[in-house]
C-alpha cells in the first residue's frame, strides 16, 4: 500500500483535532502537520526540514484574510498538491480555488468515508470531482468557452476519461495521429481563452467544467452557455 504524507490548514482547532483523530488509524495516510495558516505550515516544514507533502487539505476561509488563490499558489510552489476543504457557502471562493489548481473541493459536511476517499485520491495525484465543484464552476460568468467542435468534444470526452490515443482513434473512427492532432488543438483552444490544459488532469478538469464529462457520483454540470467564442475554425 502506498503511504502519503498530508497536512491540514484550518484555523478552527476542533476541526483540526477531529481531522487528525480521523486519520490516526487509517493505513497509508500520515498527518504530518496541522496549521492555522499556509505561512505557518510552510515555515514549520522549513524549520523541521520536512520534504514536500503529498497533499495539503486547505480551508478556503482563513482568519488571516488570505485568499484561496494566494494560498494554493504558495502550496503548489512548495511542491504540494491541494484539496480544498470548505463549508461550501461561498461559490466565489470555490471558483477561485478551482482556477488556482486544486485537485478538488470537498464539503466539511460530507461523511467521513467521502473525505477519506477524497484524500486518498488527491494524495495520489488524481483529481476529485464533486457536485460542489461542478456547481460553482457552472455558475462562473468568467469561465470562457473554448469553442470546441463536436468532434473535439468527442475526442476530449474519451481521452480525458482515461482512454489512450489508440482506443480513442478506434472509437472515434480516425487515425491515432489525428487524435494526437485533435488533443494538440484542444489544448491550444483552452490556452487561448486563459484556461490552460497542459496535462491530462487539466484536460479532465476542463471537461468537467464544460459539462463534457459528468461529475462522478453526481449530476453532469451540463453544456455551458458560451461566454466568449473562439474565432479559430473548428477544423472538424
Amino acid at each position: 500500500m502506498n503511504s502519503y504524507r498530508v497536512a491540514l490548514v484550518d484555523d478552527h482547532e476542533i476541526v483540526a483535532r477531529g481531522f487528525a483523530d480521523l486519520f490516526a488509524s487509517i493505513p497509508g495516510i500520515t498527518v504530518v502537520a496541522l496549521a492555522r495558516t499556509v505561512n505557518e505550515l510552510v515555515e514549520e516544514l522549513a524549520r523541521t526540514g520536512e520534504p514536500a507533502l503529498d497533499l495539503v487539505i486547505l480551508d478556503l476561509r482563513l482568519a488571516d484574510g488570505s485568499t484561496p488563490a494566494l494560498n494554493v499558489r504558495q502550496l503548489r510552489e512548495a511542491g504540494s498538491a491541494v484539496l480544498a476543504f470548505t463549508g461550501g457557502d461561498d461559490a466565489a471562493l470555490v471558483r477561485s480555488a478551482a482556477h488556482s489548481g486544486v485537485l478538488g473541493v470537498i464539503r466539511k459536511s460530507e461523511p467521513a468515508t467521502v473525505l477519506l476517499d477524497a484524500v486518498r485520491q488527491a494524495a495520489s495525484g488524481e483529481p476529485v470531482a464533486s457536485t460542489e465543484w461542478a456547481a460553482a464552476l457552472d455558475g462562473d460568468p468568467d469561465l470562457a468557452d473554448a469553442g470546441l467542435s463536436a468532434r473535439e468534444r468527442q475526442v476530449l470526452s474519451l481521452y480525458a476519461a482515461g482512454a489512450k490515443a489508440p482506443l480513442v482513434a478506434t472509437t472515434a473512427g480516425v487515425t491515432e495521429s489525428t487524435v494526437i492532432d485533435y488533443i494538440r488543438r484542444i489544448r491550444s483552444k483552452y490556452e487561448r481563452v486563459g484556461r490552460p490544459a497542459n496535462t491530462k488532469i487539466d484536460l479532465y478538469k476542463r471537461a468537467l467544467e464544460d459539462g463534457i464529462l459528468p461529475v462522478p457520483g453526481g449530476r453532469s454540470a451540463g453544456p455551458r452557455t458560451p461566454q466568449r467564442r473562439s474565432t479559430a475554425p473548428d477544423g472538424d
Side-chain angles (χ1 to χ4, degrees):
M1 176 182 293
N2 291 328
S3 181
Y4 301 109
R5 301 166 61 260
V6 306
L8 173 71
V9 177
D10 194 304
D11 52 16
H12 295 86
E13 183 178 359
I14 191 169
V15 173
R17 288 183 179 274
F19 180 89
D21 290 343
L22 176 63
F23 283 92
S25 60
I26 304 300
I29 298 291
T30 301
V31 178
V32 175
L34 303 172
R36 291 168 297 179
T37 68
V38 169
N39 284 337
E40 180 182 302
L41 175 63
V42 171
E43 289 170 3
E44 180 180 346
L45 295 176
R47 184 173 61 255
T48 60
E50 290 276 358
L53 300 170
D54 295 298
L55 181 70
V56 175
I57 296 91
L58 173 69
D59 185 8
L60 296 184
R61 193 189 298 275
L62 298 173
D64 66 350
S66 57
T67 66
L70 176 63
N71 285 334
V72 173
R73 182 168 67 249
Q74 188 173 357
L75 290 169
R76 293 187 70 192
E77 287 175 351
S80 301
V82 183
L83 178 68
F85 194 42
T86 177
D89 57 346
D90 191 329
L93 287 179
V94 176
R95 287 196 293 267
S96 176
H99 293 321
S100 300
V102 297
L103 286 175
V105 178
I106 294 297
R107 271 184 179 269
K108 293 182 177 181
S109 59
E110 293 283 8
T113 53
V114 174
L115 175 60
L116 291 171
D117 287 344
V119 169
R120 288 194 188 96
Q121 189 172 340
S124 67
E126 296 296 322
V128 180
S130 66
T131 53
E132 184 72 25
W133 190 15
L137 292 171
D138 193 41
D140 186 354
D142 298 321
L143 198 60
D145 177 58
L148 302 185
S149 69
R151 179 54 66 88
E152 286 169 342
R153 291 174 68 89
Q154 178 193 22
V155 168
L156 177 58
S157 70
L158 295 166
Y159 186 76
K164 296 187 181 299
L167 178 58
V168 176
T170 299
T171 304
V174 296
T175 65
E176 186 175 343
S177 62
T178 299
V179 169
I180 293 171
D181 186 53
Y182 273 126
I183 296 301
R184 186 182 301 113
R185 285 155 49 191
I186 288 167
R187 285 191 165 118
S188 177
K189 286 188 175 184
Y190 276 119
E191 181 72 33
R192 193 177 301 131
V193 296
R195 300 168 62 196
N198 299 318
T199 68
K200 197 163 187 176
I201 287 178
D202 290 333
L203 286 172
Y204 178 75
K205 291 179 181 180
R206 302 295 89 83
L208 287 175
E209 292 166 359
D210 290 348
I212 295 170
L213 287 178
V215 176
R219 65 174 179 83
S220 169
R224 292 186 54 82
T225 300
Q227 301 294 329
R228 184 172 73 242
R229 299 292 301 185
S230 165
T231 56
D234 287 334
D236 189 11

